[in-house]
Amino acid sequence: MTTVASPFEQWILRPDPRPTAVLRLICVPYAGGGPAAYHAWPRALGGAVEPWLLRLPGREARLREPPLDNVDEIVQQTAAAIAPELRSPFAVFGYSLGAWVAFELVRELRDRYGLRAAHLGVAARPAPQTPMRHPPMHTLPDNDFIDVLDRRFQAIPPMIRDSPEMRAIYLPALRADTTALETYRYRPGPQLDCLVSAFGGTEDADCPSTDLQAWGELTTGRFQLRMLPGGHFFLNTCQQQLLDALSLDLLRALVP
């Protein structure tokens, strides 16, 4: 007999369920990524935090599903799946494209479901109200698309670049996520009232500190900006520093 996953289980991976945890942390991956981007986080964050890793269609366990290419659709479907299981306090963290999804998810949970986040963490992505710095690339032919992505983010492993089979697996989600990123438009609305933490890489030319600083305009709560050593994917090269800083901010968010 086959067990059908609930909407929550379809959208959220709980690698280490912690019913007594003080806080739930919803982790949103970067473009083309999935829960594996945060595989080390449950142990590193300690028992007080229970990570909920977002499972988007078109990758990992949901590889056979068509990926979504619109931020609003991603946010609405995610919120509908998790809201019945979510309780305060909770926080949301998003990396690169995931930062914009995380921001809109916090707004959707607040506006539609009356659930207020204690903390929003964003990394490697300018604030959504800042102008785009690059021409769109999501409509480029495959080879050009991969070349531009690799030049900007150094994000395409040789195994994907050189293998038609691997391209067929990973490119649809990567292109859908890039489409979502480049077609997203920020809509002004009520400010958040939670602590917002922004993280950037000192060598990430795509996301300067001035663009990260603009995240502070989106909340009436406290704002913290930290620049960490590395390029766009300092998540991989500077993970412990990121986790140490994020853990501190999660603690601060729980203190009035």
Side-chain angles (χ1 to χ4, degrees), residues 26 43 73 93 109 127 165 177 181:
I26 303 162
R43 178 178 296 181
E73 192 172 358
F93 176 87
L109 290 169
E165 294 79 9
D177 285 354
L181 176 73

Side-chain angles (χ1 to χ4, degrees), residues 238-256:
C238 198
Q239 183 164 239
Q240 192 57 55
Q241 283 182 253
L242 172 60
L243 284 166
D244 289 345
L246 180 61
S247 296
L248 178 61
D249 287 345
L250 291 174
L251 180 61
R252 291 173 61 207
L254 296 175
V255 178

Side-chain angles (χ1 to χ4, degrees), residues 24-96:
R24 272 76 201 169
L25 175 63
I26 303 162
C27 300
V28 187
Y30 46 76
Y38 299 107
H39 73 278
W41 285 38
R43 178 178 296 181
L45 287 169
V49 178
E50 182 187 29
W52 288 8
L53 311 184
L54 186 60
R55 288 171 150 163
L56 293 173
R59 66 216 75 198
E60 297 186 21
R62 303 183 68 182
L63 184 62
R64 295 185 182 277
E65 300 176 47
L68 301 174
D69 61 3
N70 180 279
V71 168
D72 288 343
E73 192 172 358
I74 293 169
V75 166
Q76 290 163 12
Q77 292 194 33
T78 300
I82 70 174
E85 305 293 333
L86 192 59
R87 65 180 188 271
S88 296
F90 69 93
V92 186
F93 176 87
Y95 201 93
S96 194

Side-chain angles (χ1 to χ4, degrees), residues 182-198:
E182 295 182 338
T183 58
Y184 167 76
R185 296 295 180 267
Y186 166 71
R187 296 183 296 271
Q191 290 173 289
L192 305 180
D193 59 5
C194 63
L195 169 64
V196 174
S197 304

